[in-house]
Amino acid sequence: MKDKLVVSEKFYSIQGEGQTMGIPSVFVRLAGCNLLCKSSSWVCDSIEVWQKGLPVSFEELLTLEEVVKLQAGAHLIFTGGEPLLHQKKVAKYVAWFEDEYFFKPTIEVETNGTIIPSLDMMKVVDYWNCSPKLANSGESYDRRVKPEAIRALNCYDKTIFKFVIFDKDDLETVLSDYGEFIDRSKIVLMPAGEDQEKLAKTRPLVASICIDQCLRYSDRLHIVIWNLKTGV
């Protein structure tokens, strides 16, 4: 029986957020999530996509054209939902890919920081883009804050912790909820807004907070360029 991943969508674009923003990337969005971020402040911008998915065999996951892009330097990004729900299969896929194509692409994982990565995942992932959730996500503290998982990710040099910021009080929540678990130098603030209109309202505020607090800012290039369109 062939190994499979449950895939919601796949596309080739540029990374729109975080530490590798702007790098061409093949995105594999895996189905399912252990959180449901939906509140009056903001809504997960991929929620309509990751709630469904189909099993895809390792052999069928990427086209030859996509493999060529990866060989040329594009990153392979596993996102969701929460891709660490599938981490055993993801780690197995990366090992299969190396055996099949004789090179390992640069691997990124986008996670919400509630699941401890396995040793096999830690070995194959190059960049961890962790987006821990705040109270503005609508999730309770006990569901969204998992210290053991955050500490495990914090140990890795190429991890960032990217927080969605809606107003100035959110920074206090970042520090009170997560400050003791992560290095301040790894904190990245990103404006809330699932469309261009909402993003335009929060962007100046978050930029000013980053300037004042000497923290890194991340935009949301996929929304800036394509607005509500998914799969780009």
Side-chain angles (χ1 to χ4, degrees):
M1 185 175 179
K2 291 184 177 181
D3 284 307
K4 297 181 179 182
L5 286 166
V6 182
V7 179
S8 295
E9 67 174 347
K10 182 195 65 174
F11 55 95
Y12 176 62
S13 186
I14 58 172
Q15 171 60 284
E17 304 174 355
Q19 60 188 324
T20 60
M21 185 168 57
I23 293 179
S25 302
V26 177
F27 288 80
V28 176
R29 189 180 304 281
L30 301 178
C33 192
N34 58 341
L35 298 179
L36 184 65
C37 299
K38 194 172 184 180
S39 71
S40 59
S41 297
W42 66 278
V43 179
C44 173
D45 57 10
S46 60
I47 191 170
E48 299 297 331
V49 184
W50 59 252
Q51 288 181 321
K52 56 188 177 182
L54 294 172
V56 178
S57 69
F58 286 5
E59 291 82 0
E60 297 172 325
L61 182 61
L62 299 180
T63 66
L64 181 57
E65 182 181 3
E66 289 165 339
V67 173
V68 170
K69 295 293 188 184
L70 295 175
Q71 195 166 27
H75 291 189
L76 178 57
I77 301 178
F78 291 97
T79 186
E82 178 45 63
L84 289 187
L85 292 171
H86 309 264
Q87 62 176 318
K88 185 175 180 179
K89 283 292 182 68
V90 172
K92 192 173 184 179
Y93 173 78
V94 176
W96 174 88
F97 185 101
E98 286 191 76
D99 289 342
E100 182 74 11
Y101 297 109
F102 306 105
F103 77 98
K104 176 186 172 296
T106 299
I107 304 293
E108 295 188 35
V109 169
E110 299 183 338
T111 177
N112 60 31
T114 61
I115 298 174
I116 299 173
S118 67
L119 290 177
D120 286 340
M121 281 296 286
M122 294 300 284
K123 290 176 182 177
V124 302
V125 176
D126 298 288
Y127 294 95
W128 291 95
N129 301 314
C130 183
S131 298
K133 306 311 174 190
L134 303 179
N136 62 25
S137 68
E139 291 285 357
S140 69
Y141 180 91
D142 290 340
R143 280 176 53 80
R144 60 186 174 80
V145 181
K146 303 295 181 181
E148 297 83 1
I150 296 294
R151 286 193 178 103
L153 288 164
N154 187 58
C155 290
Y156 196 64
D157 288 341
K158 292 184 178 178
T159 296
I160 61 162
F161 296 92
K162 176 166 54 65
F163 294 92
V164 176
I165 303 297
F166 181 75
D167 57 41
K168 61 182 180 181
D169 293 332
D170 286 338
L171 179 59
E172 294 182 15
T173 306
V174 169
L175 299 177
S176 63
D177 287 357
Y178 297 98
E180 66 177 297
F181 311 129
I182 64 178
D183 298 335
R184 185 181 173 90
S185 62
K186 296 178 180 178
I187 294 175
V188 177
L189 304 185
M190 186 175 72
E194 67 270 22
D195 59 43
Q196 291 175 351
E197 182 180 359
K198 292 178 181 178
L199 188 61
K201 294 178 180 178
T202 55
R203 184 190 283 124
L205 171 65
V206 177
S208 67
I209 293 172
C210 288
I211 292 168
D212 181 62
Q213 297 294 320
C214 201
L215 294 171
R216 187 171 177 177
Y217 172 91
S218 173
D219 214 330
R220 311 181 81 161
L221 290 183
H222 52 296
I223 295 176
V224 172
I225 299 170
W226 294 290
N227 202 16
L228 291 170
K229 187 177 181 180
T230 59
V232 291

